[in-house]
Amino acid sequence: MRHRKLKHQLTEICHRVWQKGWVAANDGNISAKLPNGTFLATPTGVSKLTITPEMLINIDENGNVLDRNKKLKPSSEIKMHLRCYKDRPDVNAVVHAHPPVATGFAVAGVPLDNYSIPETIIVLGSIPITPYGTPSTDEVPNNIAPYIQKHDVVLLQNHGALALGADLMTAYYRMETLELFAQISLNAHILGGTKELSEKDSQQLISMRAQYGVTGRHPGIKRYSPR
Ligand code: 13P
């Protein structure tokens, strides 16, 4: 996708993330890879509602700002984003937000790793919680690294959620799927508990990923944990 179109799409996704109530104040950050191998990232400390295409920052793979005379600085979580691109060459977009129900699971220490809804099994598989890291430090990229080898969506312990995708819309839609799954799982818990699908039914859904054109990496029937 061309530079200008990508900037507009990234801006639109910033606005959607705010409208969905997945971020408060300046929370959240979004990035995308450009065809020339550099990246567009949201600036630090700006509400996702007020982002405009001109505010997006062009950076290289080490986080160096390539725009001249740019007053804004890239997101404080840029190391987390750059680690996703470095370790996953198939990834071209990263969305980080604090969707309240999914983040509730991340705070409670309850992974969303049950196989109970066809859409989620096909698109995401299980969703683990990566160990806590202080935001903006190397702890965050180091702690997510083993998990993003097998997952495109993870919960960040006591923090929020991270979605990776081959393109921006895919990464964004994965965040939507995560938050709806979290809401449904919470409702099921209130109503007496989730009834998982059988291993046979789950396996059949997993085998349909190619048919649905699902890109990325998702665990199969065996819930993957690097620990
Ligand atoms: P930035 O404004 O630096 O992107 O940080 C927001 C955030 O959510 C930190 O986790």
Side-chain angles (χ1 to χ4, degrees):
M1 193 183 286
R2 298 181 90 105
H3 198 122
R4 201 170 148 272
K5 203 170 167 207
L6 200 67
K7 273 190 167 181
H8 278 87
Q9 194 178 54
L10 205 158
T11 302
E12 192 205 316
I13 289 173
C14 287
H15 299 168
R16 284 200 200 190
V17 161
W18 184 88
Q19 283 158 356
K20 286 274 189 186
W22 295 347
V23 289
N26 306 325
D27 296 349
N29 24 76
I30 300 172
S31 67
K33 193 173 186 176
L34 288 160
N36 68 1
T38 67
F39 304 90
L40 282 176
T42 48
T44 187
V46 179
S47 165
K48 299 305 153 300
L49 175 66
T50 59
I51 298 276
T52 61
E54 301 72 38
M55 287 171 146
L56 299 175
I57 302 174
N58 189 205
I59 54 168
D60 68 15
E61 73 274 17
N62 299 313
N64 299 309
V65 177
L66 302 172
D67 297 304
R68 285 191 196 159
N69 305 324
K70 202 93 176 183
K71 290 209 174 76
L72 295 165
K73 291 189 167 58
S75 167
S76 59
E77 295 282 32
I78 200 64
K79 288 178 192 165
M80 170 175 75
H81 291 246
L82 292 173
R83 185 65 178 261
C84 295
Y85 297 116
K86 182 167 177 277
D87 289 4
R88 290 280 308 274
D90 60 312
V91 166
N92 294 308
V94 176
V95 176
H96 165 56
H98 307 157
V101 185
T103 303
F105 281 81
V107 171
V110 180
L112 283 160
D113 62 358
N114 65 78
Y115 280 175
S116 54
I117 298 179
E119 179 74 17
T120 312
I121 297 172
I122 294 170
V123 177
L124 302 183
S126 63
I127 303 140
I129 303 178
T130 65
Y132 180 74
T134 303
S136 84
T137 70
D138 286 327
E139 287 172 11
V140 182
N142 289 341
N143 289 349
I144 65 165
Y147 293 83
I148 60 172
Q149 285 305 320
K150 287 277 170 125
H151 294 269
D152 284 334
V153 174
V154 297
L155 296 173
L156 308 174
Q157 184 190 333
N158 290 78
H159 183 172
L162 186 68
L164 285 54
D167 56 66
L168 265 170
M169 285 317 291
T170 300
Y172 168 77
Y173 282 142
R174 284 180 179 157
M175 192 66 86
E176 276 195 354
T177 300
L178 166 71
E179 181 62 354
L180 190 67
F181 181 49
Q183 285 175 2
I184 292 165
S185 298
L186 183 61
N187 290 344
H189 177 73
I190 292 165
L191 294 167
T194 292
K195 307 278 186 289
E196 288 205 58
L197 288 174
S198 70
E199 191 166 324
K200 183 169 161 283
D201 286 337
S202 297
Q203 191 57 63
Q204 191 174 358
L205 291 162
I206 287 164
S207 68
M208 292 165 86
R209 283 176 182 160
Q211 171 188 331
Y212 282 101
V214 178
T215 53
R217 297 187 194 167
H218 312 286
I221 202 74
K222 194 170 176 300
R223 275 65 152 177
Y224 171 76
S225 170
R227 282 157 214 281

